Coordinates of all heavy atoms in Angstrom, one line a residue:
M1 N 16.1 -65.3 -17.6 CA 16.7 -64.2 -17.0 C 16.5 -62.9 -17.9 O 16.2 -61.9 -17.3 CB 18.2 -64.4 -16.9 CG 18.9 -63.2 -16.3 SD 19.0 -63.6 -14.5 CE 20.3 -62.6 -14.1
A2 N 16.5 -63.2 -19.2 CA 16.1 -62.0 -20.1 C 14.7 -61.5 -19.9 O 14.4 -60.4 -20.1 CB 16.3 -62.4 -21.6
D3 N 13.8 -62.4 -19.6 CA 12.4 -62.0 -19.3 C 12.3 -61.4 -18.0 O 11.3 -60.7 -17.8 CB 11.5 -63.3 -19.4 CG 11.4 -63.8 -20.8 OD1 11.7 -63.0 -21.8 OD2 11.0 -65.0 -21.0
L4 N 13.2 -61.7 -17.1 CA 13.1 -61.1 -15.8 C 13.2 -59.6 -15.7 O 12.4 -58.9 -15.0 CB 14.2 -61.7 -14.8 CG 14.2 -61.3 -13.4 CD1 12.9 -61.8 -12.7 CD2 15.4 -61.9 -12.7
I5 N 14.1 -59.1 -16.4 CA 14.3 -57.6 -16.4 C 13.1 -56.9 -17.0 O 12.5 -56.0 -16.3 CB 15.6 -57.2 -17.2 CG1 16.8 -57.8 -16.3 CG2 15.7 -55.7 -17.4 CD1 18.1 -57.5 -16.9
P6 N 12.5 -57.3 -18.1 CA 11.4 -56.6 -18.7 C 10.1 -56.8 -17.7 O 9.3 -55.9 -17.5 CB 11.1 -57.2 -20.0 CG 12.4 -57.7 -20.5 CD 13.1 -58.1 -19.2
G7 N 10.1 -58.0 -17.2 CA 8.9 -58.3 -16.3 C 9.0 -57.4 -15.0 O 8.0 -56.9 -14.5
L8 N 10.3 -57.3 -14.4 CA 10.6 -56.4 -13.3 C 10.2 -55.0 -13.6 O 9.6 -54.3 -12.8 CB 12.0 -56.6 -12.8 CG 12.3 -55.9 -11.5 CD1 11.5 -56.5 -10.3 CD2 13.8 -56.2 -11.1
R9 N 10.6 -54.6 -14.8 CA 10.3 -53.2 -15.2 C 8.9 -52.9 -15.2 O 8.4 -52.0 -14.9 CB 11.0 -53.0 -16.5 CG 10.8 -51.5 -17.0 CD 11.6 -51.3 -18.4 NE 13.0 -51.5 -18.1 CZ 13.9 -51.5 -19.1 NH1 13.5 -51.4 -20.3 NH2 15.2 -51.7 -18.9
Q10 N 8.2 -53.9 -15.9 CA 6.7 -53.8 -16.0 C 6.0 -53.8 -14.6 O 5.1 -53.0 -14.4 CB 6.1 -55.0 -16.8 CG 4.7 -54.8 -17.2 CD 4.4 -53.6 -18.0 OE1 5.2 -53.3 -18.9 NE2 3.3 -52.9 -17.7
V11 N 6.4 -54.6 -13.7 CA 5.9 -54.6 -12.3 C 6.1 -53.2 -11.7 O 5.2 -52.6 -11.0 CB 6.5 -55.7 -11.5 CG1 6.1 -55.6 -10.0 CG2 6.0 -57.1 -12.0
I12 N 7.3 -52.7 -11.7 CA 7.7 -51.4 -11.1 C 6.8 -50.3 -11.8 O 6.2 -49.4 -11.1 CB 9.2 -51.1 -11.3 CG1 9.9 -52.0 -10.4 CG2 9.5 -49.6 -10.9 CD1 11.5 -52.0 -10.5
Q13 N 6.7 -50.4 -13.2 CA 5.9 -49.4 -13.9 C 4.4 -49.5 -13.4 O 3.7 -48.5 -13.2 CB 6.0 -49.6 -15.4 CG 6.3 -48.4 -16.1 CD 6.5 -48.7 -17.6 OE1 6.2 -49.8 -18.1 NE2 7.0 -47.7 -18.3
D14 N 3.9 -50.7 -13.3 CA 2.6 -50.9 -12.8 C 2.3 -50.4 -11.4 O 1.2 -49.9 -11.1 CB 2.2 -52.4 -13.0 CG 2.1 -52.9 -14.4 OD1 2.0 -52.0 -15.3 OD2 2.0 -54.1 -14.6
L15 N 3.3 -50.5 -10.5 CA 3.1 -50.2 -9.2 C 3.4 -48.6 -8.9 O 2.7 -47.9 -8.2 CB 4.0 -51.0 -8.3 CG 3.6 -52.5 -8.2 CD1 4.6 -53.3 -7.3 CD2 2.3 -52.6 -7.6
V16 N 4.4 -48.2 -9.6 CA 4.9 -46.8 -9.3 C 4.2 -45.8 -10.1 O 3.9 -44.7 -9.7 CB 6.5 -46.8 -9.5 CG1 6.9 -45.3 -9.3 CG2 7.1 -47.6 -8.5
A17 N 4.0 -46.1 -11.4 CA 3.4 -45.1 -12.3 C 2.1 -44.6 -11.8 O 1.9 -43.3 -11.9 CB 3.3 -45.7 -13.7
P18 N 1.1 -45.4 -11.3 CA -0.1 -44.8 -10.9 C 0.1 -43.8 -9.6 O -0.5 -42.8 -9.5 CB -1.0 -45.9 -10.4 CG -0.4 -47.1 -11.2 CD 1.1 -46.8 -11.4
D19 N 1.0 -44.2 -8.7 CA 1.4 -43.3 -7.6 C 2.0 -42.0 -8.1 O 1.7 -40.9 -7.6 CB 2.3 -43.9 -6.7 CG 1.7 -45.1 -5.9 OD1 0.4 -45.2 -5.8 OD2 2.4 -46.0 -5.3
L20 N 2.8 -42.1 -9.1 CA 3.5 -40.8 -9.6 C 2.4 -39.9 -10.3 O 2.5 -38.7 -10.1 CB 4.6 -41.2 -10.6 CG 5.9 -41.8 -9.9 CD1 6.9 -42.1 -11.0 CD2 6.5 -40.8 -9.0
K21 N 1.5 -40.6 -11.0 CA 0.5 -39.8 -11.6 C -0.5 -39.1 -10.6 O -0.9 -38.0 -10.7 CB -0.4 -40.7 -12.6 CG 0.4 -41.1 -13.8 CD -0.4 -41.9 -14.7 CE 0.3 -42.3 -16.0 NZ -0.4 -43.2 -16.9
A22 N -0.8 -39.9 -9.5 CA -1.6 -39.3 -8.5 C -0.8 -38.1 -7.7 O -1.4 -37.1 -7.5 CB -1.8 -40.4 -7.4
I23 N 0.4 -38.3 -7.5 CA 1.2 -37.2 -6.9 C 1.2 -36.1 -7.9 O 1.1 -35.0 -7.3 CB 2.7 -37.7 -6.6 CG1 2.6 -38.8 -5.4 CG2 3.5 -36.6 -6.3 CD1 3.9 -39.5 -5.2
Q24 N 1.4 -36.3 -9.1 CA 1.4 -35.2 -10.1 C 0.1 -34.5 -10.1 O 0.0 -33.3 -10.2 CB 1.8 -35.7 -11.5 CG 1.9 -34.6 -12.5 CD 3.0 -33.7 -12.3 OE1 4.1 -34.1 -11.9 NE2 2.8 -32.3 -12.5
A25 N -1.0 -35.2 -10.1 CA -2.3 -34.6 -10.1 C -2.6 -33.8 -8.8 O -3.1 -32.7 -8.9 CB -3.4 -35.7 -10.2
K26 N -2.1 -34.3 -7.7 CA -2.2 -33.5 -6.4 C -1.3 -32.2 -6.5 O -1.8 -31.2 -6.1 CB -1.8 -34.4 -5.3 CG -2.7 -35.4 -4.8 CD -2.3 -36.2 -3.6 CE -3.2 -37.4 -3.3 NZ -2.7 -38.1 -2.1
Q27 N -0.2 -32.4 -7.0 CA 0.7 -31.2 -7.2 C 0.1 -30.2 -8.1 O 0.1 -29.0 -7.8 CB 2.1 -31.6 -7.7 CG 3.0 -30.5 -7.7 CD 4.4 -31.0 -8.3 OE1 4.6 -32.1 -8.8 NE2 5.4 -30.1 -8.2
D28 N -0.5 -30.6 -9.2 CA -1.2 -29.7 -10.1 C -2.3 -28.9 -9.4 O -2.5 -27.8 -9.5 CB -1.7 -30.4 -11.4 CG -0.5 -30.9 -12.3 OD1 0.6 -30.4 -12.1 OD2 -0.7 -31.7 -13.1
A29 N -3.1 -29.7 -8.7 CA -4.3 -29.2 -7.9 C -3.8 -28.1 -6.9 O -4.4 -27.0 -6.8 CB -5.1 -30.2 -7.3
M30 N -2.7 -28.5 -6.2 CA -2.2 -27.6 -5.2 C -1.6 -26.3 -5.9 O -1.8 -25.2 -5.4 CB -1.1 -28.2 -4.4 CG -1.5 -29.3 -3.5 SD -2.5 -28.5 -2.1 CE -1.2 -28.4 -0.9
S31 N -1.0 -26.4 -7.0 CA -0.5 -25.3 -7.8 C -1.6 -24.4 -8.2 O -1.5 -23.1 -8.0 CB 0.3 -25.7 -8.9 OG 1.5 -26.4 -8.6
K32 N -2.7 -24.9 -8.6 CA -3.9 -24.2 -9.0 C -4.4 -23.4 -7.8 O -4.8 -22.3 -7.9 CB -4.8 -25.0 -9.7 CG -4.4 -25.4 -11.1 CD -5.5 -26.2 -11.8 CE -4.9 -26.7 -13.2 NZ -5.8 -27.7 -13.8
Q33 N -4.6 -24.1 -6.7 CA -5.1 -23.6 -5.5 C -4.3 -22.5 -5.0 O -4.8 -21.4 -4.6 CB -5.3 -24.7 -4.5 CG -6.0 -24.1 -3.1 CD -6.0 -25.3 -2.1 OE1 -5.6 -26.3 -2.3 NE2 -6.7 -24.9 -1.0
I34 N -2.9 -22.7 -5.0 CA -2.0 -21.6 -4.6 C -2.1 -20.3 -5.5 O -2.1 -19.2 -5.0 CB -0.6 -22.2 -4.6 CG1 -0.4 -23.1 -3.4 CG2 0.5 -21.0 -4.4 CD1 0.8 -23.9 -3.4
E35 N -2.3 -20.6 -6.8 CA -2.4 -19.5 -7.7 C -3.7 -18.8 -7.5 O -3.7 -17.4 -7.4 CB -2.4 -20.1 -9.2 CG -2.5 -18.9 -10.2 CD -2.4 -19.5 -11.6 OE1 -2.0 -20.7 -11.8 OE2 -2.7 -18.8 -12.5
V36 N -4.8 -19.5 -7.2 CA -6.1 -18.7 -6.9 C -5.9 -17.9 -5.6 O -6.4 -16.8 -5.6 CB -7.2 -19.8 -6.8 CG1 -8.4 -19.2 -6.2 CG2 -7.5 -20.4 -8.2
Q37 N -5.3 -18.5 -4.6 CA -5.2 -17.8 -3.3 C -4.2 -16.6 -3.6 O -4.5 -15.5 -3.0 CB -4.6 -18.8 -2.3 CG -5.7 -19.7 -1.8 CD -5.2 -20.7 -0.7 OE1 -4.0 -20.9 -0.6 NE2 -6.1 -21.4 -0.1
H38 N -3.2 -16.8 -4.3 CA -2.3 -15.7 -4.5 C -3.0 -14.5 -5.3 O -2.8 -13.4 -4.8 CB -1.1 -16.2 -5.4 CG -0.2 -15.1 -5.8 ND1 -0.2 -14.4 -6.9 CD2 0.9 -14.6 -5.1 CE1 0.7 -13.5 -7.0 NE2 1.4 -13.6 -5.9
N39 N -3.8 -14.8 -6.3 CA -4.5 -13.8 -7.0 C -5.5 -13.1 -6.1 O -5.6 -11.9 -6.1 CB -5.2 -14.4 -8.2 CG -4.2 -14.8 -9.3 OD1 -3.1 -14.2 -9.3 ND2 -4.6 -15.7 -10.1
A40 N -6.2 -13.9 -5.2 CA -7.1 -13.2 -4.3 C -6.5 -12.4 -3.3 O -6.9 -11.2 -3.0 CB -8.0 -14.4 -3.5
L41 N -5.3 -12.9 -2.8 CA -4.6 -12.0 -1.8 C -4.1 -10.7 -2.5 O -4.1 -9.6 -1.9 CB -3.4 -12.7 -1.3 CG -3.8 -13.8 -0.1 CD1 -2.6 -14.6 0.2 CD2 -4.4 -13.2 1.1
R42 N -3.6 -10.9 -3.8 CA -3.1 -9.7 -4.5 C -4.2 -8.7 -4.7 O -4.0 -7.5 -4.5 CB -2.6 -10.2 -5.8 CG -1.8 -9.1 -6.6 CD -1.2 -9.5 -7.9 NE -1.9 -10.5 -8.6 CZ -2.9 -10.2 -9.4 NH1 -3.4 -9.0 -9.6 NH2 -3.5 -11.2 -10.2
R43 N -5.4 -9.2 -5.0 CA -6.5 -8.2 -5.2 C -6.9 -7.6 -3.9 O -7.2 -6.3 -3.9 CB -7.7 -9.0 -5.8 CG -7.6 -9.3 -7.2 CD -8.9 -9.8 -7.8 NE -9.4 -11.1 -7.2 CZ -9.1 -12.3 -7.6 NH1 -8.2 -12.5 -8.6 NH2 -9.6 -13.3 -7.0
Q44 N -6.9 -8.4 -2.9 CA -7.2 -7.8 -1.5 C -6.2 -6.7 -1.1 O -6.6 -5.6 -0.6 CB -7.2 -8.9 -0.5 CG -7.6 -8.4 0.9 CD -7.6 -9.5 2.0 OE1 -7.3 -10.7 1.6 NE2 -8.0 -9.3 3.2
I45 N -4.9 -7.0 -1.4 CA -3.8 -6.0 -1.1 C -4.1 -4.7 -1.9 O -3.9 -3.7 -1.4 CB -2.5 -6.6 -1.3 CG1 -2.2 -7.7 -0.2 CG2 -1.4 -5.6 -1.3 CD1 -1.0 -8.4 -0.4
E46 N -4.4 -4.8 -3.2 CA -4.6 -3.7 -4.0 C -5.8 -2.9 -3.5 O -5.7 -1.6 -3.5 CB -4.9 -4.2 -5.5 CG -3.7 -4.8 -6.2 CD -3.9 -5.4 -7.6 OE1 -5.2 -5.4 -7.9 OE2 -3.0 -5.8 -8.2
V47 N -6.9 -3.5 -3.1 CA -7.9 -2.9 -2.6 C -7.7 -2.0 -1.3 O -7.9 -0.9 -1.2 CB -9.2 -3.7 -2.3 CG1 -10.3 -3.2 -1.5 CG2 -9.8 -4.3 -3.6
Q48 N -6.9 -2.8 -0.4 CA -6.4 -2.1 0.8 C -5.5 -0.9 0.5 O -5.5 0.1 1.2 CB -5.9 -3.1 1.7 CG -6.9 -4.1 2.4 CD -6.2 -5.1 3.2 OE1 -4.9 -5.4 3.2 NE2 -7.0 -5.9 4.0
H49 N -4.6 -1.2 -0.4 CA -3.7 -0.1 -0.9 C -4.4 1.1 -1.4 O -4.1 2.3 -1.0 CB -2.7 -0.6 -1.9 CG -1.7 0.4 -2.4 ND1 -2.0 1.1 -3.5 CD2 -0.6 0.9 -1.9 CE1 -1.0 2.0 -3.7 NE2 -0.1 1.8 -2.8
D50 N -5.4 0.8 -2.2 CA -6.2 2.0 -2.8 C -6.9 2.7 -1.7 O -6.9 4.0 -1.7 CB -7.1 1.5 -3.8 CG -6.4 1.0 -5.1 OD1 -5.2 1.3 -5.2 OD2 -7.0 0.4 -5.9
A51 N -7.5 2.0 -0.7 CA -8.2 2.6 0.4 C -7.2 3.4 1.3 O -7.6 4.5 1.7 CB -8.9 1.5 1.3
L52 N -6.1 2.8 1.4 CA -5.1 3.6 2.2 C -4.6 4.9 1.6 O -4.5 6.0 2.2 CB -3.9 2.6 2.6 CG -2.8 3.3 3.4 CD1 -3.2 3.7 4.8 CD2 -1.6 2.3 3.5
M53 N -4.4 4.7 0.3 CA -3.9 5.9 -0.4 C -5.0 7.0 -0.5 O -4.7 8.2 -0.3 CB -3.6 5.6 -1.8 CG -2.3 4.7 -1.9 SD -0.9 5.3 -1.0 CE -0.5 6.8 -1.9
T54 N -6.3 6.6 -0.5 CA -7.4 7.6 -0.5 C -7.4 8.3 0.9 O -7.6 9.5 1.0 CB -8.8 6.9 -0.8 OG1 -8.7 6.3 -2.1 CG2 -9.9 7.8 -0.7
T55 N -7.3 7.5 1.9 CA -7.2 8.1 3.3 C -6.1 9.0 3.5 O -6.2 10.1 4.0 CB -7.1 6.9 4.4 OG1 -8.3 6.1 4.1 CG2 -7.1 7.5 5.7
V56 N -4.9 8.6 3.0 CA -3.6 9.4 3.1 C -3.9 10.8 2.3 O -3.5 11.9 2.9 CB -2.5 8.7 2.6 CG1 -1.3 9.7 2.4 CG2 -2.1 7.6 3.6
E57 N -4.5 10.7 1.1 CA -4.7 11.9 0.3 C -5.7 12.9 1.0 O -5.5 14.1 1.0 CB -5.1 11.5 -1.1 CG -4.0 10.9 -2.0 CD -2.9 11.9 -2.2 OE1 -3.1 13.1 -2.3 OE2 -1.7 11.4 -2.1
A58 N -6.7 12.3 1.6 CA -7.7 13.1 2.4 C -7.0 13.7 3.6 O -7.3 14.9 3.8 CB -8.8 12.2 2.8
F59 N -6.2 13.0 4.2 CA -5.5 13.5 5.4 C -4.5 14.6 4.9 O -4.5 15.7 5.6 CB -4.7 12.4 6.0 CG -3.8 12.9 7.3 CD1 -4.6 13.3 8.4 CD2 -2.6 12.9 7.3 CE1 -3.9 13.7 9.5 CE2 -1.8 13.3 8.3 CZ -2.5 13.8 9.5
R60 N -3.8 14.5 3.8 CA -2.9 15.5 3.3 C -3.7 16.8 3.0 O -3.3 17.9 3.2 CB -2.2 15.0 2.1 CG -1.1 14.0 2.4 CD -0.4 13.4 1.2 NE 0.4 14.4 0.6 CZ 1.0 14.4 -0.6 NH1 0.7 13.5 -1.4 NH2 1.7 15.4 -1.0
A61 N -4.9 16.6 2.4 CA -5.7 17.8 2.0 C -6.1 18.5 3.3 O -6.1 19.8 3.4 CB -6.9 17.3 1.1
E62 N -6.5 17.7 4.4 CA -6.9 18.4 5.6 C -5.8 19.0 6.2 O -5.9 20.2 6.7 CB -7.4 17.2 6.5 CG -8.0 17.7 7.8 CD -8.5 16.5 8.7 OE1 -8.8 15.5 8.2 OE2 -8.6 16.8 10.0
I63 N -4.6 18.5 6.2 CA -3.4 19.2 6.7 C -3.0 20.4 6.0 O -2.8 21.5 6.6 CB -2.2 18.2 6.8 CG1 -2.4 17.1 7.7 CG2 -0.9 18.9 7.1 CD1 -2.6 17.5 9.2
R64 N -3.2 20.4 4.7 CA -2.9 21.6 3.9 C -3.9 22.7 4.3 O -3.6 23.9 4.3 CB -3.0 21.3 2.4 CG -1.8 20.7 1.8 CD -1.9 20.5 0.3 NE -1.1 19.5 -0.2 CZ -1.6 18.4 -0.7 NH1 -2.9 18.2 -0.9 NH2 -0.7 17.5 -1.2
S65 N -5.2 22.3 4.4 CA -6.2 23.3 4.8 C -5.9 23.9 6.2 O -6.0 25.1 6.3 CB -7.5 22.6 4.8 OG -8.5 23.4 5.2
E66 N -5.5 23.0 7.1 CA -5.2 23.5 8.5 C -4.0 24.4 8.4 O -4.0 25.5 9.0 CB -4.8 22.3 9.4 CG -6.0 21.5 9.8 CD -6.9 22.2 10.8 OE1 -6.4 23.0 11.7 OE2 -8.1 22.0 10.8
F67 N -3.0 24.2 7.6 CA -1.8 25.0 7.6 C -2.2 26.4 6.8 O -1.7 27.4 7.3 CB -0.7 24.4 6.7 CG 0.2 23.5 7.5 CD1 0.5 22.2 7.1 CD2 0.8 23.9 8.7 CE1 1.3 21.4 7.9 CE2 1.5 23.1 9.5 CZ 1.8 21.9 9.1
A68 N -3.1 26.4 5.9 CA -3.5 27.6 5.2 C -4.3 28.4 6.2 O -4.0 29.7 6.3 CB -4.3 27.2 4.0
M69 N -5.2 27.8 7.0 CA -5.9 28.6 8.1 C -4.9 29.1 9.1 O -5.1 30.3 9.5 CB -6.9 27.6 8.7 CG -7.8 28.4 9.7 SD -9.1 27.3 10.4 CE -8.0 26.3 11.4
L70 N -4.0 28.3 9.6 CA -2.9 28.9 10.6 C -2.2 30.0 9.9 O -1.9 30.9 10.7 CB -2.1 27.7 11.0 CG -2.7 26.6 11.9 CD1 -1.8 25.5 12.1 CD2 -3.2 27.3 13.3
K71 N -1.8 29.8 8.7 CA -1.1 31.0 8.1 C -1.8 32.3 8.1 O -1.4 33.3 8.3 CB -0.6 30.5 6.6 CG 0.2 31.6 5.9 CD 0.6 31.1 4.6 CE 1.4 32.2 3.8 NZ 1.7 31.7 2.5
A72 N -3.1 32.1 7.6 CA -4.0 33.3 7.6 C -4.1 33.9 9.0 O -4.1 35.1 9.2 CB -5.3 32.9 7.0
N73 N -4.4 33.1 10.0 CA -4.5 33.5 11.3 C -3.3 34.2 11.8 O -3.3 35.3 12.5 CB -4.9 32.5 12.4 CG -6.3 32.0 12.2 OD1 -7.1 32.7 11.6 ND2 -6.7 30.8 12.6
N74 N -2.1 33.7 11.5 CA -0.8 34.3 11.8 C -0.6 35.6 11.3 O -0.2 36.5 11.9 CB 0.3 33.3 11.5 CG 1.6 33.7 12.1 OD1 1.7 34.2 13.1 ND2 2.6 33.6 11.2
Q75 N -1.0 35.7 9.9 CA -0.8 37.0 9.3 C -1.8 38.0 9.9 O -1.4 39.2 10.1 CB -1.2 36.9 7.8 CG -0.1 36.1 7.0 CD -0.4 35.8 5.6 OE1 -1.6 35.9 5.3 NE2 0.6 35.5 4.8
L76 N -2.9 37.7 10.2 CA -3.8 38.6 10.9 C -3.3 39.0 12.3 O -3.4 40.3 12.7 CB -5.3 37.9 11.1 CG -6.1 37.9 9.8 CD1 -7.4 37.0 10.1 CD2 -6.5 39.3 9.3
E77 N -2.7 38.0 13.0 CA -2.2 38.4 14.4 C -1.0 39.4 14.2 O -0.9 40.3 14.9 CB -1.8 37.2 15.1 CG -1.3 37.3 16.5 CD -2.3 37.9 17.4 OE1 -3.5 37.9 17.2 OE2 -1.9 38.7 18.5
V78 N -0.2 39.1 13.3 CA 0.9 40.0 13.0 C 0.5 41.4 12.6 O 1.0 42.4 13.1 CB 1.9 39.4 11.9 CG1 2.9 40.5 11.4 CG2 2.7 38.2 12.4
F79 N -0.5 41.4 11.7 CA -1.1 42.8 11.3 C -1.6 43.4 12.5 O -1.4 44.7 12.8 CB -2.1 42.5 10.2 CG -2.6 43.9 9.7 CD1 -1.9 44.7 9.0 CD2 -4.0 44.2 10.1 CE1 -2.4 45.9 8.5 CE2 -4.5 45.4 9.8 CZ -3.8 46.3 8.9
R80 N -2.4 42.7 13.4 CA -3.0 43.3 14.6 C -2.0 43.9 15.5 O -2.1 45.0 16.1 CB -3.8 42.3 15.3 CG -4.7 42.8 16.5 CD -5.4 41.7 17.2 NE -4.5 40.8 17.9 CZ -4.0 41.0 19.1 NH1 -4.1 42.3 19.6 NH2 -3.2 40.2 19.8
Q81 N -0.8 43.2 15.6 CA 0.2 43.7 16.6 C 1.1 44.8 16.0 O 1.6 45.6 16.7 CB 1.1 42.5 17.1 CG 0.3 41.6 18.0 CD 1.2 40.5 18.5 OE1 2.4 40.5 18.4 NE2 0.5 39.4 19.1
V82 N 1.3 44.7 14.7 CA 2.2 45.7 14.1 C 1.4 47.0 13.7 O 2.0 48.1 13.8 CB 2.8 45.1 12.8 CG1 3.5 46.2 11.8 CG2 3.7 44.0 13.1
S83 N 0.1 46.9 13.5 CA -0.7 48.2 13.1 C -0.6 49.3 14.1 O -0.3 50.4 13.7 CB -2.1 47.7 12.9 OG -2.9 48.8 12.5
P84 N -0.7 49.0 15.3 CA -0.6 50.1 16.3 C 0.8 50.7 16.3 O 1.0 52.0 16.5 CB -0.9 49.5 17.7 CG -1.7 48.3 17.4 CD -1.2 47.9 16.1
L85 N 1.8 49.8 16.2 CA 3.2 50.3 16.1 C 3.4 51.2 14.9 O 4.1 52.2 15.0 CB 4.1 49.2 16.2 CG 4.2 48.3 17.5 CD1 5.1 47.1 17.2 CD2 4.6 49.2 18.6
S86 N 2.9 50.8 13.8 CA 3.0 51.6 12.5 C 2.3 52.9 12.7 O 2.9 54.0 12.3 CB 2.3 50.8 11.5 OG 2.4 51.6 10.3
E87 N 1.2 53.0 13.4 CA 0.5 54.3 13.6 C 1.3 55.1 14.5 O 1.4 56.4 14.3 CB -0.9 54.1 14.2 CG -1.9 53.4 13.3 CD -3.2 53.0 14.0 OE1 -3.4 53.4 15.1 OE2 -4.0 52.4 13.3
R88 N 1.9 54.6 15.6 CA 2.8 55.3 16.5 C 4.0 55.9 15.8 O 4.5 57.0 16.0 CB 3.2 54.5 17.7 CG 2.0 54.3 18.7 CD 2.3 53.4 19.7 NE 3.2 53.9 20.7 CZ 3.7 53.3 21.7 NH1 3.5 52.0 21.9 NH2 4.7 53.8 22.5
L89 N 4.6 55.0 14.9 CA 5.7 55.5 14.2 C 5.5 56.6 13.2 O 6.2 57.6 13.1 CB 6.3 54.2 13.3 CG 7.5 54.5 12.4 CD1 8.7 54.9 13.4 CD2 8.0 53.3 11.7
T90 N 4.3 56.6 12.6 CA 3.8 57.7 11.7 C 3.7 58.9 12.5 O 4.2 60.0 12.0 CB 2.5 57.4 11.0 OG1 2.7 56.0 10.3 CG2 2.0 58.4 10.1
L91 N 3.1 58.9 13.7 CA 3.0 60.0 14.6 C 4.4 60.6 15.0 O 4.6 61.8 15.0 CB 2.2 59.7 15.8 CG 0.7 59.5 15.7 CD1 0.1 59.1 17.0 CD2 0.1 60.8 15.2
V92 N 5.3 59.7 15.3 CA 6.7 60.1 15.7 C 7.3 60.8 14.6 O 8.0 61.8 14.8 CB 7.5 59.0 16.3 CG1 8.9 59.3 16.4 CG2 6.9 58.5 17.6
E93 N 7.2 60.2 13.4 CA 7.8 60.8 12.1 C 7.2 62.2 11.9 O 8.0 63.1 11.5 CB 7.7 59.9 11.0 CG 8.5 58.6 11.1 CD 8.3 57.7 9.9 OE1 7.3 57.9 9.2 OE2 9.1 56.8 9.8
K94 N 6.0 62.4 12.1 CA 5.3 63.7 11.9 C 5.8 64.7 12.9 O 6.0 65.9 12.5 CB 3.8 63.7 12.0 CG 3.1 63.0 10.8 CD 1.7 63.0 10.9 CE 1.0 62.3 9.7 NZ -0.4 62.3 9.8
Q95 N 6.1 64.4 14.1 CA 6.5 65.3 15.1 C 8.0 65.6 14.9 O 8.4 66.7 15.3 CB 6.4 64.6 16.5 CG 4.9 64.5 17.0 CD 4.8 63.8 18.4 OE1 5.8 63.3 18.9 NE2 3.6 63.6 18.7
G96 N 8.8 64.7 14.4 CA 10.2 65.0 14.2 C 10.6 65.7 13.1 O 10.8 66.8 12.7

C-alpha cells in the first residue's frame, strides 16, 4: 500500500505533466502572438492618429485663411458703404 501512493503519483505525473507542459507552451505562444498583434495595432493606430492630426491641422489652417479673407472682404464692404456717407457728412458739416 505504501508503494501504491508513490506509484499512483508517478502515473499521474507521467500522464498529466506532459499535457500541462503542452498547455503552458500553447499559452506562451498565444501570449507572444497577442503581444505582436497588440504592438502592430498600436503602431497602426499611431500612424492613423498622426495622419488624422495632420489633416485636422491642414483644415484648421484653411479655415483660418478663409476667416481672414472674409474679414478683409467685410472690412472693404463696410468701408465702401460708409465712405459715401462720410463724404456727405463732411459736406453737411461744411454747410452748417
Side-chain angles (χ1 to χ4, degrees):
M1 181 95 156
D3 292 336
L4 182 65
I5 293 176
L8 186 59
R9 183 178 296 168
Q10 187 64 41
V11 168
I12 292 174
Q13 231 176 10
D14 290 346
L15 293 176
V16 175
D19 289 341
L20 290 177
K21 287 180 183 179
I23 290 170
Q24 183 65 42
K26 285 180 183 178
Q27 184 180 6
D28 291 344
M30 288 290 267
S31 292
K32 288 179 183 178
Q33 183 180 5
I34 288 170
E35 184 179 343
V36 167
Q37 288 178 345
H38 176 264
N39 289 337
L41 285 173
R42 185 174 43 78
R43 284 190 300 271
Q44 183 181 3
I45 288 170
E46 288 173 359
V47 167
Q48 289 177 347
H49 176 267
D50 292 346
L52 179 62
M53 293 308 295
T54 300
T55 302
V56 167
E57 288 302 319
F59 180 70
R60 289 178 71 194
E62 184 179 339
I63 292 298
R64 282 191 202 108
S65 175
E66 287 288 326
F67 276 130
M69 186 178 67
L70 288 172
K71 182 179 177 182
N73 287 341
N74 187 38
Q75 288 174 343
L76 285 173
E77 183 63 22
V78 167
F79 180 74
R80 187 184 70 76
Q81 292 183 11
V82 169
S83 183
L85 295 174
S86 178
E87 291 172 10
R88 288 175 66 189
L89 181 62
T90 303
L91 288 174
V92 168
E93 287 176 348
K94 283 184 182 178
Q95 291 174 357

